[in-house]
Every structure is written in C-alpha cells, then in structure tokens.
Amino acid sequence: MKRRCWHTLLVVRNPETEGNRETFSADGLRVVDHPRLGRHVISDRPIEAREVVAVWRGYEITEAVAASLERSERDQLLQVGIGRFLANDDDLCAVDFINHSCEPNCGFLDATTLVAMRRIEAGESITFDYAMSDSNSFISFDCACGSTSCRGRLERDDWQRPELQKQYSGWFAPHIALLIREHSNLDGD
C-alpha cells in the first residue's frame, strides 16, 4: 500500500526529523491478520525491556491537514505534538500496523521512538495505548483490544484518566506528558 502524498504547502517541517527519513522497525517484527484485530504486528523473537521497537520518521503536518485526510490515511499518522502529526510518503512498513491495546507492552521514549515497557515474548502482539500519544479530535473509536482492562472506547482525553497517568508514568510521548503536567498544575491551583 502506497501512502498518499500530502500538499507540501501545508506541511510544517521539523528539523529534528529532517535527517533520517526512513522509519526504523526492530528485527523480527511482522504484520499478521487476525479476525478480530485486523492487521497487527507480532514479534518473531523476544524483545527485551526498553529495547527500541520503532522509530517513525517523516515530516510534520498540522491537525487541520490530518483531519482532512481519509480515515485510512489518518489511521497511519502518529501524533507528535499538540496539533502536529508525522506523515510519510513511503510504503507502509510493519511498525505502521502497531495497534492500540488497553494493556500495552510498549511506550514512548520520545515523540517518535517506541520501546518495550517489559520483555515481549516471541509471538506476542506489539501494542501501545494510543492515550500515550493521542489527544486529537479524531481519535474516538470503539476498542476491540480484548484485554481484561479494555476501556471499550478510546477518546481524545483518555490521557486525563488518573489510572492511566499512574500506569503509564514515564511512557507518555512528550506532548502528552506536558499536557498532564499542565493539567495537574491547573488542578493544584
């Protein structure tokens, strides 16, 4: 599947992502189909805690541009800041199919780097909770992760849930961690 090229006049460039434009995928990841989960990523080998699983690369687009895309294209974006998303015109690769789970095994080291939160066994799905990186207007959807702690639905403000803030402390993307700090400061006034 080839990604659509976006209007370059509306692209917001980020010097930090300009150098290496190629997305990194850890060795041993592959995309599989599942009747309930659809396409998702599993690992064919054990992945150690804190090992880098993915580093997404590309260029930034605004939330307005992202919102104008077809749903299938928005599903491939990674939110990397407030109102900012990472886009890429390359062919999709394994890490572009990493799904949400309410019991994830990966979290963020920075805005574009996903690492294992714990040891991941061979054959296990690679997942992260989209609340770790998403606060955008189009994130709402019914969850089908099937975990025992499934929330049933994802919303743009799930990062505000105290139980998730506690569970994922240290694993949120920087822009969500900042929102949490700002939100906490407002609550403390």
Side-chain angles (χ1 to χ4, degrees):
M1 171 185 266
K2 190 76 169 162
R3 291 185 187 174
R4 175 177 152 192
C5 293
W6 290 280
H7 303 284
T8 55
L9 293 176
L10 299 175
V11 170
V12 178
R13 298 285 181 190
N14 179 351
E16 293 177 15
T17 60
E18 287 297 310
N20 182 357
R21 302 282 305 261
E22 195 168 311
T23 294
F24 169 80
S25 178
D27 290 335
L29 300 186
R30 68 182 163 99
V31 178
V32 296
D33 287 313
H34 186 276
R36 182 177 47 81
L37 300 173
R39 284 195 217 168
H40 68 287
V41 178
I42 65 168
S43 180
D44 287 333
R45 65 173 183 85
I47 297 175
E48 297 303 321
R50 303 203 61 82
E51 184 177 337
V52 174
V53 173
V55 181
W56 286 278
R57 296 288 186 224
Y59 54 89
E60 289 186 16
I61 60 173
T62 64
E63 187 165 357
V65 173
S68 73
L69 299 174
E70 297 292 324
R71 173 71 188 211
S72 62
E73 294 169 322
R74 284 194 314 262
D75 287 348
Q76 302 304 321
L77 299 176
L78 177 68
Q79 187 171 351
V80 295
I82 305 304
R84 299 182 357 244
F85 298 81
L86 195 65
N88 187 316
D89 295 328
D90 296 337
D91 290 336
L92 296 176
C93 63
V95 298
D96 293 317
F97 294 96
I98 294 176
N99 284 341
H100 161 83
S101 176
C102 295
E103 291 180 15
N105 51 24
C106 293
F108 285 88
L109 183 62
D110 58 39
T112 61
T113 305
L114 194 69
V115 298
M117 295 167 57
R118 59 165 175 78
R119 181 181 165 92
I120 301 170
E121 299 301 330
E124 199 174 338
S125 289
I126 305 298
T127 61
F128 70 94
D129 190 326
Y130 291 176
M132 294 174 172
S133 64
D134 288 307
S135 65
N136 63 73
S137 60
F138 45 84
I139 189 62
S140 297
F141 64 89
D142 291 332
C143 182
C145 75
S147 71
T148 57
S149 60
C150 182
R151 297 193 297 277
R153 183 155 181 83
L154 270 70
E155 299 291 345
R156 70 182 292 169
D157 60 355
D158 281 355
W159 60 267
Q160 293 182 24
R161 297 170 70 122
E163 70 275 15
L164 296 184
Q165 290 179 12
K166 182 178 178 183
Q167 181 180 354
Y168 304 145
S169 179
W171 298 111
F172 285 100
H175 60 283
I176 299 296
L178 178 61
L179 284 174
I180 291 168
R181 283 192 303 278
E182 289 174 350
H183 193 264
S184 295
N185 288 339
L186 290 175
D187 289 345
D189 291 339

